[in-house]
Amino acid sequence: MGSGEMFLMSKQGKTGGKATILALGKAFPHQLVMQEFLVDGYFKNTNCDDPFLKQKLNRLCKTTTVKTRYVVMSDEILNKYPELTIEGHPTVTQRLDICNKAVTQMAIEASQSCINKWGRPISDITHLVYVSSSEARLPGGDLHLAKGLGLSPETNRVMLYFMGCSGGVAGLRVAKDIAENNPGSRVLLATSETTIIGFKPPSIDRPYDLVGVALFGDGAGAMIIGSDPDLTIERPLFELHTAIQHFLPDTEKIIDGRLTEEGISFKLERELPQIIEDHIGGFCDKLMGGIGERDYNNLFWAVHPGGPAILNRVEKKLELLPEKLRASRRALADYGNASSNTIVYVLEYIMEENLKVKGEGDPEWGLILAFGPGITFEGILTRKLV
């Protein structure tokens, strides 16, 4: 059989055991925040009138390029838990009470949306991979999600906690391995995040808190992953090839998060974008080796939008055309950095743009990338099937 015939078979959906993304779904809390109104609302809610901090947050809100975000936080929550706005008050119990319920509900809604698009019954799901950096409990969110969806008690579950922004791609890598090593399996990957776990009043001693206020959003994402799709029912979107995880030694303090009595406290060092720029080329070259491609602009790019500085550094280092990161920038503008969820939103925008182009000059191969604590690089070589 010639290579042309192999290519045709793959395009028809016979993926030769390679895992494929079969459906995407997302969900959000009800509170939509417009970026231009965020500063006044945040300072009012936290009873702060510091003009210096307010000016700083105004600047940050403009540089993040975020326009809208969804958040769990509401007046109702603040009225019920006013201690969340008090500096130094132990509130981790209250935060987890809110977060545990919220992330489960969002994960259920995103998963249901994804399953509806997939087209097969929920009883066909054999495995669940659950990702979150916004909760802590026993049993974990994986069990609560399985129960909320009505999954079979025999569903095999994997839970990934506190992987931050790289969690979505890490979960996809794990789901890929499960699908390829368990013939006939169908894996539900669900991610869910809320910023309430780290919500705090502004403080001159914690400047990064303001970056989080200006950048991060809440929501959930979901995917169905499986090999050898049934083309009478399923519509494979992406085929997953080489998957790599790599951490950079001695960089574990660059992204530092601690669970304290006041919730999660984050510290992000300024050199993060530079570190990513210094290592992104070699990491991508390893992923691209499987197809022998040398030109970065011959690929499509699904990059987790950690922030505009990271996207700008990746674009600059790889000499990407401006449109190559358009899906990532759109996701950042519309949803903020929603941590592990955001890669789902980026992939949806790539599919949307693919329909507009209708295959004319649209790259077949691409990279799914994310960067998280460690510093950890996650990447998957991917092929579009539609």
Side-chain angles (χ1 to χ4, degrees):
M1 182 178 292
S3 60
E5 293 173 284
M6 287 290 290
F7 174 78
L8 179 60
M9 287 180 65
S10 181
K11 276 295 189 182
Q12 291 174 336
K14 299 178 182 179
T15 58
K18 290 291 185 185
T20 60
I21 298 176
L22 299 169
L24 299 167
K26 62 181 183 292
F28 301 97
H30 298 302
Q31 303 291 329
L32 175 64
V33 176
M34 308 294 289
Q35 193 80 335
E36 61 261 38
F37 302 125
L38 180 139
V39 176
D40 288 340
Y42 173 66
F43 276 81
K44 177 183 176 182
N45 289 337
T46 55
N47 302 306
C48 179
D49 58 1
D50 187 310
F52 173 77
L53 291 175
K54 193 170 186 179
Q55 185 181 43
K56 181 177 178 65
L57 183 57
N58 264 311
R59 290 198 305 268
L60 288 169
C61 283
K62 294 176 182 178
T63 59
T64 60
T65 71
V66 176
K67 295 180 179 178
T68 56
R69 276 175 292 170
Y70 293 87
V71 297
V72 171
M73 181 60 79
S74 65
D75 290 340
E76 180 182 1
I77 290 174
L78 288 173
N79 289 335
K80 185 176 181 180
Y81 302 100
E83 61 270 27
L84 295 179
T85 66
I86 301 174
E87 183 75 27
H89 199 287
T91 52
V92 68
T93 299
Q94 297 93 315
R95 293 172 190 275
L96 289 176
D97 283 346
I98 302 166
C99 293
N100 291 342
K101 294 175 185 176
V103 294
T104 297
Q105 184 58 40
M106 291 188 294
I108 289 172
E109 293 174 7
S111 298
Q112 289 172 334
S113 171
C114 185
I115 292 166
N116 289 338
K117 293 176 185 176
W118 173 41
R120 288 176 59 171
I122 196 169
S123 57
D124 287 351
I125 293 174
T126 59
H127 296 74
L128 170 64
V129 178
Y130 176 72
V131 180
S132 183
S133 297
S134 304
E135 62 157 277
R137 52 183 161 171
L138 289 173
D142 60 324
L143 184 69
H144 292 279
L145 174 58
K147 179 181 178 181
L149 288 172
L151 296 182
S152 165
E154 296 183 353
T155 303
N156 292 289
R157 310 187 317 273
V158 175
M159 186 166 55
L160 303 179
Y161 266 7
F162 293 104
M163 300 193 75
C165 292
S166 61
V169 182
L172 184 56
R173 172 175 51 80
V174 171
K176 171 187 184 296
D177 288 347
I178 292 172
E180 292 177 349
N181 287 282
N182 295 271
S185 63
R186 289 297 179 265
V187 186
L188 170 62
L189 166 63
T191 66
S192 194
E193 309 284 5
T194 174
T195 51
I196 282 184
I197 193 70
F199 178 88
K200 293 181 178 66
S203 170
I204 195 69
D205 297 323
R206 298 189 313 273
Y208 180 67
D209 284 1
L210 293 182
V211 177
V213 172
L215 183 64
F216 291 110
D218 300 354
M223 306 186 203
I224 297 288
I225 297 95
S227 299
D228 299 318
D230 179 353
L231 297 184
T232 64
I233 304 172
E234 297 172 313
R235 180 175 175 261
L237 307 175
F238 297 93
E239 185 179 88
L240 306 175
H241 287 255
T242 305
I244 297 175
Q245 182 191 66
H246 178 81
F247 76 89
L248 303 177
D250 303 319
T251 63
E252 59 270 16
K253 292 185 178 181
I254 299 299
I255 305 174
D256 186 56
R258 307 293 175 92
L259 186 59
T260 72
E261 292 182 347
E262 297 177 64
I264 287 184
S265 296
F266 280 107
K267 184 180 180 182
L268 185 69
E269 299 295 341
R270 291 180 177 270
E271 57 263 41
L272 175 61
Q274 182 64 56
I275 292 172
I276 291 174
E277 178 181 346
D278 291 342
H279 294 87
I280 188 65
F283 184 75
C284 292
D285 290 345
K286 288 182 181 179
L287 288 167
M288 295 164 61
I291 56 172
E293 181 58 69
R294 298 284 184 180
D295 190 341
Y296 298 127
N297 282 301
N298 286 338
L299 305 177
F300 68 86
W301 293 81
V303 181
H304 168 82
I310 291 174
L311 294 178
N312 293 343
R313 293 296 187 106
V314 170
E315 183 177 277
K316 172 189 171 187
K317 181 68 174 182
L318 303 181
E319 298 181 351
L320 297 178
L321 298 171
E323 63 266 24
K324 291 297 175 178
L325 296 183
R326 182 163 51 214
S328 296
R329 295 188 190 278
R330 284 183 65 192
L332 181 63
D334 292 346
Y335 308 115
N337 177 349
S339 193
S340 64
N341 311 316
T342 323
I343 198 64
V344 176
Y345 315 151
V346 175
L347 289 171
E348 280 200 331
Y349 278 144
I350 286 177
M351 294 303 304
E352 180 183 311
E353 293 175 2
N354 186 65
L355 293 175
K356 293 179 181 178
V357 175
K358 296 181 180 179
E360 298 178 8
D362 191 39
E364 176 187 8
W365 290 92
L367 298 183
I368 300 175
L369 301 173
F371 320 103
I375 295 171
T376 300
F377 282 50
E378 291 277 357
I380 303 176
L381 176 66
T382 308
R383 189 152 69 97
K384 271 187 292 191
L385 297 177
V386 293

Tab-separated table of all heavy atoms in Angstrom, residues 254-307:
chain	number	residue	atom	x	y	z
A	254	ILE	N	10.044	29.671	39.952
A	254	ILE	CA	9.609	30.716	39.023
A	254	ILE	C	8.092	30.885	39.075
A	254	ILE	O	7.561	31.995	39.028
A	254	ILE	CB	10.070	30.381	37.587
A	254	ILE	CG1	11.597	30.296	37.524
A	254	ILE	CG2	9.552	31.435	36.605
A	254	ILE	CD1	12.307	31.573	37.892
A	255	ILE	N	7.374	29.768	39.148
A	255	ILE	CA	5.925	29.784	39.379
A	255	ILE	C	5.707	29.069	40.705
A	255	ILE	O	5.815	27.846	40.785
A	255	ILE	CB	5.159	29.063	38.255
A	255	ILE	CG1	5.504	29.649	36.889
A	255	ILE	CG2	3.651	29.152	38.506
A	255	ILE	CD1	4.900	28.883	35.726
A	256	ASP	N	5.405	29.818	41.733
A	256	ASP	CA	5.345	29.249	43.080
A	256	ASP	C	3.954	29.467	43.664
A	256	ASP	O	3.490	30.593	43.786
A	256	ASP	CB	6.404	29.912	43.977
A	256	ASP	CG	6.474	29.252	45.341
A	256	ASP	OD1	6.680	28.034	45.401
A	256	ASP	OD2	6.322	29.963	46.356
A	257	GLY	N	3.285	28.375	44.005
A	257	GLY	CA	1.963	28.465	44.600
A	257	GLY	C	1.896	27.678	45.891
A	257	GLY	O	2.388	26.552	45.968
A	258	ARG	N	1.302	28.270	46.912
A	258	ARG	CA	1.193	27.623	48.218
A	258	ARG	C	-0.250	27.678	48.695
A	258	ARG	O	-0.891	28.739	48.653
A	258	ARG	CB	2.089	28.329	49.246
A	258	ARG	CG	3.545	28.483	48.826
A	258	ARG	CD	4.264	27.156	48.739
A	258	ARG	NE	5.617	27.304	48.217
A	258	ARG	CZ	6.691	27.482	48.977
A	258	ARG	NH1	6.562	27.563	50.301
A	258	ARG	NH2	7.886	27.586	48.418
A	259	LEU	N	-0.752	26.548	49.193
A	259	LEU	CA	-2.074	26.517	49.810
A	259	LEU	C	-1.931	26.891	51.273
A	259	LEU	O	-1.297	26.182	52.055
A	259	LEU	CB	-2.700	25.122	49.673
A	259	LEU	CG	-4.150	24.987	50.150
A	259	LEU	CD1	-5.064	25.939	49.387
A	259	LEU	CD2	-4.634	23.552	50.013
A	260	THR	N	-2.478	28.033	51.641
A	260	THR	CA	-2.339	28.574	52.992
A	260	THR	C	-3.717	28.687	53.643
A	260	THR	O	-4.743	28.341	53.043
A	260	THR	CB	-1.691	29.965	52.952
A	260	THR	OG1	-2.635	30.917	52.424
A	260	THR	CG2	-0.440	29.965	52.076
A	261	GLU	N	-3.731	29.188	54.864
A	261	GLU	CA	-5.007	29.388	55.556
A	261	GLU	C	-5.859	30.458	54.882
A	261	GLU	O	-7.059	30.551	55.136
A	261	GLU	CB	-4.753	29.763	57.014
A	261	GLU	CG	-4.156	28.624	57.840
A	261	GLU	CD	-3.964	29.008	59.289
A	261	GLU	OE1	-4.064	30.206	59.611
A	261	GLU	OE2	-3.732	28.104	60.107
A	262	GLU	N	-5.246	31.261	54.003
A	262	GLU	CA	-5.982	32.291	53.265
A	262	GLU	C	-6.267	31.880	51.826
A	262	GLU	O	-6.633	32.713	51.002
A	262	GLU	CB	-5.193	33.600	53.265
A	262	GLU	CG	-4.981	34.197	54.639
A	262	GLU	CD	-4.128	35.447	54.572
A	262	GLU	OE1	-4.585	36.442	53.959
A	262	GLU	OE2	-3.015	35.435	55.114
A	263	GLY	N	-6.102	30.609	51.518
A	263	GLY	CA	-6.290	30.143	50.149
A	263	GLY	C	-4.958	29.950	49.464
A	263	GLY	O	-3.914	29.836	50.107
A	264	ILE	N	-4.968	29.909	48.141
A	264	ILE	CA	-3.725	29.742	47.383
A	264	ILE	C	-3.052	31.099	47.201
A	264	ILE	O	-3.694	32.075	46.812
A	264	ILE	CB	-3.983	29.096	46.018
A	264	ILE	CG1	-4.304	27.618	46.194
A	264	ILE	CG2	-2.772	29.246	45.106
A	264	ILE	CD1	-4.489	26.871	44.901
A	265	SER	N	-1.760	31.150	47.488
A	265	SER	CA	-0.963	32.347	47.239
A	265	SER	C	0.029	32.046	46.131
A	265	SER	O	0.768	31.055	46.206
A	265	SER	CB	-0.215	32.766	48.512
A	265	SER	OG	-1.126	33.139	49.523
A	266	PHE	N	0.031	32.870	45.089
A	266	PHE	CA	0.903	32.669	43.943
A	266	PHE	C	2.002	33.724	43.910
A	266	PHE	O	1.797	34.867	44.289
A	266	PHE	CB	0.114	32.767	42.632
A	266	PHE	CG	-0.645	31.529	42.293
A	266	PHE	CD1	-2.019	31.507	42.423
A	266	PHE	CD2	-0.002	30.387	41.840
A	266	PHE	CE1	-2.750	30.372	42.111
A	266	PHE	CE2	-0.713	29.250	41.523
A	266	PHE	CZ	-2.089	29.246	41.658
A	267	LYS	N	3.136	33.282	43.415
A	267	LYS	CA	4.220	34.211	43.123
A	267	LYS	C	4.790	33.838	41.766
A	267	LYS	O	5.151	32.688	41.529
A	267	LYS	CB	5.317	34.128	44.184
A	267	LYS	CG	6.434	35.136	43.981
A	267	LYS	CD	7.492	35.014	45.070
A	267	LYS	CE	8.620	36.022	44.854
A	267	LYS	NZ	9.686	35.874	45.879
A	268	LEU	N	4.832	34.796	40.884
A	268	LEU	CA	5.304	34.576	39.515
A	268	LEU	C	6.475	35.499	39.247
A	268	LEU	O	6.342	36.721	39.356
A	268	LEU	CB	4.178	34.861	38.519
A	268	LEU	CG	4.457	34.572	37.055
A	268	LEU	CD1	4.575	33.082	36.813
A	268	LEU	CD2	3.347	35.160	36.181
A	269	GLU	N	7.612	34.928	38.909
A	269	GLU	CA	8.809	35.735	38.648
A	269	GLU	C	8.757	36.351	37.258
A	269	GLU	O	8.221	35.770	36.307
A	269	GLU	CB	10.071	34.878	38.802
A	269	GLU	CG	10.270	34.290	40.193
A	269	GLU	CD	10.509	35.360	41.252
A	269	GLU	OE1	10.870	36.500	40.885
A	269	GLU	OE2	10.324	35.058	42.446
A	270	ARG	N	9.364	37.511	37.135
A	270	ARG	CA	9.318	38.267	35.888
A	270	ARG	C	10.014	37.568	34.727
A	270	ARG	O	9.694	37.804	33.561
A	270	ARG	CB	9.971	39.641	36.088
A	270	ARG	CG	9.184	40.580	36.977
A	270	ARG	CD	9.902	41.917	37.135
A	270	ARG	NE	9.136	42.869	37.922
A	270	ARG	CZ	8.266	43.722	37.409
A	270	ARG	NH1	8.060	43.735	36.101
A	270	ARG	NH2	7.605	44.558	38.191
A	271	GLU	N	10.968	36.692	35.043
A	271	GLU	CA	11.740	36.076	33.964
A	271	GLU	C	11.034	34.923	33.274
A	271	GLU	O	11.587	34.313	32.350
A	271	GLU	CB	13.104	35.609	34.485
A	271	GLU	CG	13.063	34.632	35.643
A	271	GLU	CD	13.250	35.318	36.977
A	271	GLU	OE1	12.673	36.405	37.168
A	271	GLU	OE2	13.972	34.751	37.824
A	272	LEU	N	9.797	34.587	33.675
A	272	LEU	CA	9.096	33.457	33.058
A	272	LEU	C	9.005	33.564	31.539
A	272	LEU	O	9.356	32.602	30.840
A	272	LEU	CB	7.698	33.314	33.673
A	272	LEU	CG	6.810	32.235	33.043
A	272	LEU	CD1	7.439	30.857	33.187
A	272	LEU	CD2	5.409	32.261	33.650
A	273	PRO	N	8.528	34.683	30.960
A	273	PRO	CA	8.453	34.743	29.491
A	273	PRO	C	9.816	34.537	28.822
A	273	PRO	O	9.902	33.880	27.778
A	273	PRO	CB	7.900	36.149	29.226
A	273	PRO	CG	7.145	36.497	30.467
A	273	PRO	CD	7.946	35.896	31.584
A	274	GLN	N	10.880	35.076	29.429
A	274	GLN	CA	12.210	34.910	28.847
A	274	GLN	C	12.655	33.449	28.899
A	274	GLN	O	13.252	32.931	27.942
A	274	GLN	CB	13.225	35.787	29.581
A	274	GLN	CG	14.641	35.719	29.004
A	274	GLN	CD	14.713	36.250	27.589
A	274	GLN	OE1	14.335	37.381	27.335
A	274	GLN	NE2	15.191	35.429	26.645
A	275	ILE	N	12.369	32.771	29.983
A	275	ILE	CA	12.744	31.357	30.107
A	275	ILE	C	12.012	30.523	29.057
A	275	ILE	O	12.607	29.633	28.421
A	275	ILE	CB	12.438	30.848	31.527
A	275	ILE	CG1	13.381	31.523	32.537
A	275	ILE	CG2	12.579	29.331	31.610
A	275	ILE	CD1	13.028	31.221	33.979
A	276	ILE	N	10.733	30.805	28.863
A	276	ILE	CA	9.984	30.080	27.827
A	276	ILE	C	10.563	30.363	26.455
A	276	ILE	O	10.753	29.446	25.640
A	276	ILE	CB	8.492	30.463	27.906
A	276	ILE	CG1	7.877	29.910	29.191
A	276	ILE	CG2	7.742	29.943	26.680
A	276	ILE	CD1	6.454	30.349	29.439
A	277	GLU	N	10.890	31.625	26.189
A	277	GLU	CA	11.492	31.971	24.895
A	277	GLU	C	12.805	31.228	24.678
A	277	GLU	O	13.075	30.723	23.576
A	277	GLU	CB	11.733	33.476	24.816
A	277	GLU	CG	12.396	33.915	23.512
A	277	GLU	CD	12.667	35.410	23.449
A	277	GLU	OE1	12.118	36.156	24.282
A	277	GLU	OE2	13.445	35.829	22.572
A	278	ASP	N	13.613	31.107	25.715
A	278	ASP	CA	14.922	30.462	25.580
A	278	ASP	C	14.830	28.973	25.253
A	278	ASP	O	15.766	28.409	24.681
A	278	ASP	CB	15.730	30.645	26.875
A	278	ASP	CG	16.148	32.085	27.113
A	278	ASP	OD1	16.117	32.878	26.153
A	278	ASP	OD2	16.498	32.418	28.267
A	279	HIS	N	13.729	28.326	25.629
A	279	HIS	CA	13.651	26.873	25.490
A	279	HIS	C	12.589	26.392	24.507
A	279	HIS	O	12.525	25.191	24.229
A	279	HIS	CB	13.377	26.245	26.866
A	279	HIS	CG	14.506	26.424	27.836
A	279	HIS	ND1	14.633	27.543	28.642
A	279	HIS	CD2	15.570	25.638	28.126
A	279	HIS	CE1	15.717	27.427	29.383
A	279	HIS	NE2	16.293	26.283	29.102
A	280	ILE	N	11.776	27.292	23.984
A	280	ILE	CA	10.651	26.862	23.159
A	280	ILE	C	11.100	26.239	21.839
A	280	ILE	O	10.489	25.277	21.343
A	280	ILE	CB	9.674	28.042	22.909
A	280	ILE	CG1	8.402	27.558	22.212
A	280	ILE	CG2	10.340	29.150	22.098
A	280	ILE	CD1	7.565	26.623	23.019
A	281	GLY	N	12.158	26.762	21.244
A	281	GLY	CA	12.597	26.252	19.952
A	281	GLY	C	13.005	24.789	20.009
A	281	GLY	O	12.551	23.959	19.199
A	282	GLY	N	13.871	24.432	20.944
A	282	GLY	CA	14.325	23.061	21.062
A	282	GLY	C	13.199	22.109	21.386
A	282	GLY	O	13.164	20.969	20.883
A	283	PHE	N	12.258	22.549	22.231
A	283	PHE	CA	11.126	21.707	22.594
A	283	PHE	C	10.251	21.426	21.375
A	283	PHE	O	9.859	20.275	21.125
A	283	PHE	CB	10.311	22.388	23.688
A	283	PHE	CG	9.170	21.565	24.203
A	283	PHE	CD1	9.401	20.485	25.042
A	283	PHE	CD2	7.863	21.879	23.857
A	283	PHE	CE1	8.346	19.716	25.522
A	283	PHE	CE2	6.798	21.123	24.336
A	283	PHE	CZ	7.037	20.040	25.165
A	284	CYS	N	9.951	22.448	20.605
A	284	CYS	CA	9.121	22.266	19.416
A	284	CYS	C	9.824	21.410	18.363
A	284	CYS	O	9.181	20.608	17.674
A	284	CYS	CB	8.740	23.624	18.832
A	284	CYS	SG	7.613	24.574	19.868
A	285	ASP	N	11.121	21.572	18.232
A	285	ASP	CA	11.864	20.771	17.253
A	285	ASP	C	11.753	19.285	17.558
A	285	ASP	O	11.667	18.448	16.643
A	285	ASP	CB	13.329	21.191	17.227
A	285	ASP	CG	13.538	22.571	16.612
A	285	ASP	OD1	12.594	23.070	15.954
A	285	ASP	OD2	14.614	23.154	16.809
A	286	LYS	N	11.757	18.916	18.843
A	286	LYS	CA	11.597	17.509	19.212
A	286	LYS	C	10.227	16.991	18.783
A	286	LYS	O	10.107	15.874	18.274
A	286	LYS	CB	11.757	17.338	20.724
A	286	LYS	CG	13.182	17.498	21.231
A	286	LYS	CD	13.234	17.270	22.729
A	286	LYS	CE	14.655	17.443	23.254
A	286	LYS	NZ	14.731	17.246	24.733
A	287	LEU	N	9.212	17.788	18.982
A	287	LEU	CA	7.871	17.381	18.585
A	287	LEU	C	7.741	17.267	17.070
A	287	LEU	O	7.097	16.349	16.556
A	287	LEU	CB	6.846	18.390	19.108
A	287	LEU	CG	6.576	18.378	20.617
A	287	LEU	CD1	5.803	19.617	21.025
A	287	LEU	CD2	5.802	17.123	21.011
A	288	MET	N	8.366	18.186	16.351
A	288	MET	CA	8.243	18.217	14.894
A	288	MET	C	9.076	17.161	14.199
A	288	MET	O	8.882	16.886	13.011
A	288	MET	CB	8.632	19.606	14.390
A	288	MET	CG	7.691	20.714	14.846
A	288	MET	SD	8.388	22.377	14.633
A	288	MET	CE	8.632	22.432	12.867
A	289	GLY	N	9.997	16.544	14.922
A	289	GLY	CA	10.867	15.545	14.307
A	289	GLY	C	10.116	14.385	13.700
A	289	GLY	O	10.576	13.768	12.729
A	290	GLY	N	8.941	14.093	14.234
A	290	GLY	CA	8.169	12.966	13.732
A	290	GLY	C	7.639	13.154	12.326
A	290	GLY	O	7.282	12.183	11.658
A	291	ILE	N	7.576	14.395	11.847
A	291	ILE	CA	7.072	14.637	10.491
A	291	ILE	C	8.127	15.289	9.600
A	291	ILE	O	7.865	15.550	8.426
A	291	ILE	CB	5.801	15.522	10.522
A	291	ILE	CG1	6.072	16.843	11.256
A	291	ILE	CG2	4.646	14.776	11.176
A	291	ILE	CD1	4.931	17.829	11.165
A	292	GLY	N	9.300	15.543	10.154
A	292	GLY	CA	10.385	16.109	9.361
A	292	GLY	C	10.159	17.540	8.928
A	292	GLY	O	10.798	18.009	7.985
A	293	GLU	N	9.281	18.260	9.616
A	293	GLU	CA	8.986	19.650	9.253
A	293	GLU	C	9.988	20.584	9.922
A	293	GLU	O	10.353	20.410	11.076
A	293	GLU	CB	7.569	20.009	9.681
A	293	GLU	CG	7.130	21.426	9.343
A	293	GLU	CD	7.195	21.735	7.861
A	293	GLU	OE1	6.386	21.179	7.097
A	293	GLU	OE2	8.086	22.522	7.478
A	294	ARG	N	10.439	21.582	9.175
A	294	ARG	CA	11.402	22.547	9.702
A	294	ARG	C	10.842	23.957	9.830
A	294	ARG	O	11.356	24.754	10.602
A	294	ARG	CB	12.633	22.585	8.776
A	294	ARG	CG	13.377	21.264	8.671
A	294	ARG	CD	14.195	20.990	9.894
A	294	ARG	NE	14.988	19.766	9.783
A	294	ARG	CZ	15.797	19.312	10.730
A	294	ARG	NH1	15.905	19.995	11.864
A	294	ARG	NH2	16.460	18.194	10.576
A	295	ASP	N	9.813	24.246	9.055
A	295	ASP	CA	9.265	25.601	9.012
A	295	ASP	C	8.087	25.705	9.986
A	295	ASP	O	7.047	25.084	9.793
A	295	ASP	CB	8.807	25.931	7.595
A	295	ASP	CG	8.440	27.399	7.423
A	295	ASP	OD1	8.191	28.074	8.447
A	295	ASP	OD2	8.392	27.868	6.269
A	296	TYR	N	8.259	26.499	11.034
A	296	TYR	CA	7.207	26.654	12.036
A	296	TYR	C	5.914	27.203	11.442
A	296	TYR	O	4.827	26.910	11.928
A	296	TYR	CB	7.682	27.579	13.155
A	296	TYR	CG	8.878	27.081	13.924
A	296	TYR	CD1	10.010	27.879	14.094
A	296	TYR	CD2	8.896	25.811	14.490
A	296	TYR	CE1	11.112	27.428	14.813
A	296	TYR	CE2	9.992	25.348	15.210
A	296	TYR	CZ	11.102	26.168	15.360
A	296	TYR	OH	12.187	25.716	16.066
A	297	ASN	N	6.030	27.998	10.391
A	297	ASN	CA	4.846	28.615	9.807
A	297	ASN	C	4.062	27.667	8.911
A	297	ASN	O	3.003	28.041	8.387
A	297	ASN	CB	5.241	29.874	9.030
A	297	ASN	CG	5.508	31.040	9.957
A	297	ASN	OD1	4.630	31.456	10.712
A	297	ASN	ND2	6.726	31.555	9.927
A	298	ASN	N	4.553	26.444	8.741
A	298	ASN	CA	3.791	25.426	8.018
A	298	ASN	C	2.891	24.625	8.959
A	298	ASN	O	2.265	23.653	8.527
A	298	ASN	CB	4.737	24.472	7.282
A	298	ASN	CG	5.354	25.114	6.053
A	298	ASN	OD1	4.810	26.078	5.508
A	298	ASN	ND2	6.478	24.596	5.608
A	299	LEU	N	2.843	25.022	10.229
A	299	LEU	CA	2.022	24.344	11.225
A	299	LEU	C	0.900	25.261	11.707
A	299	LEU	O	0.962	26.480	11.542
A	299	LEU	CB	2.869	23.957	12.446
A	299	LEU	CG	4.120	23.111	12.227
A	299	LEU	CD1	4.834	22.913	13.562
A	299	LEU	CD2	3.796	21.777	11.599
A	300	PHE	N	-0.136	24.667	12.312
A	300	PHE	CA	-1.067	25.466	13.096
A	300	PHE	C	-0.619	25.374	14.557
A	300	PHE	O	0.044	24.434	14.974
A	300	PHE	CB	-2.521	25.010	12.913
A	300	PHE	CG	-2.849	23.644	13.474
A	300	PHE	CD1	-3.214	23.485	14.804
A	300	PHE	CD2	-2.815	22.520	12.654
A	300	PHE	CE1	-3.523	22.233	15.316
A	300	PHE	CE2	-3.128	21.261	13.162
A	300	PHE	CZ	-3.477	21.111	14.502
A	301	TRP	N	-1.007	26.381	15.362
A	301	TRP	CA	-0.495	26.506	16.718
A	301	TRP	C	-1.636	26.669	17.712
A	301	TRP	O	-2.406	27.632	17.634
A	301	TRP	CB	0.471	27.693	16.824
A	301	TRP	CG	1.717	27.463	16.034
A	301	TRP	CD1	1.881	27.632	14.678
A	301	TRP	CD2	2.962	26.986	16.528
A	301	TRP	NE1	3.155	27.291	14.317
A	301	TRP	CE2	3.847	26.889	15.429
A	301	TRP	CE3	3.429	26.642	17.796
A	301	TRP	CZ2	5.155	26.455	15.560
A	301	TRP	CZ3	4.737	26.207	17.939
A	301	TRP	CH2	5.585	26.116	16.822
A	302	ALA	N	-1.749	25.718	18.630
A	302	ALA	CA	-2.708	25.791	19.730
A	302	ALA	C	-1.905	25.962	21.013
A	302	ALA	O	-1.518	24.990	21.659
A	302	ALA	CB	-3.563	24.534	19.792
A	303	VAL	N	-1.628	27.207	21.366
A	303	VAL	CA	-0.756	27.527	22.501
A	303	VAL	C	-1.610	28.054	23.647
A	303	VAL	O	-2.415	28.980	23.464
A	303	VAL	CB	0.295	28.579	22.113
A	303	VAL	CG1	1.216	28.881	23.296
A	303	VAL	CG2	1.099	28.100	20.917
A	304	HIS	N	-1.433	27.466	24.833
A	304	HIS	CA	-2.130	27.996	25.997
A	304	HIS	C	-1.719	29.454	26.214
A	304	HIS	O	-0.521	29.749	26.347
A	304	HIS	CB	-1.800	27.193	27.255
A	304	HIS	CG	-2.264	27.868	28.510
A	304	HIS	ND1	-3.566	27.788	28.955
A	304	HIS	CD2	-1.614	28.677	29.388
A	304	HIS	CE1	-3.682	28.508	30.057
A	304	HIS	NE2	-2.525	29.054	30.342
A	305	PRO	N	-2.675	30.383	26.261
A	305	PRO	CA	-2.334	31.804	26.408
A	305	PRO	C	-2.119	32.180	27.868
A	305	PRO	O	-3.004	32.736	28.526
A	305	PRO	CB	-3.550	32.513	25.807
A	305	PRO	CG	-4.694	31.582	26.078
A	305	PRO	CD	-4.123	30.185	26.042
A	306	GLY	N	-0.941	31.894	28.380
A	306	GLY	CA	-0.633	32.243	29.760
A	306	GLY	C	-0.687	33.733	30.012
A	306	GLY	O	-0.928	34.180	31.127
A	307	GLY	N	-0.495	34.495	28.966
A	307	GLY	CA	-0.530	35.952	29.021
A	307	GLY	C	0.051	36.493	27.732
A	307	GLY	O	0.717	35.762	26.984
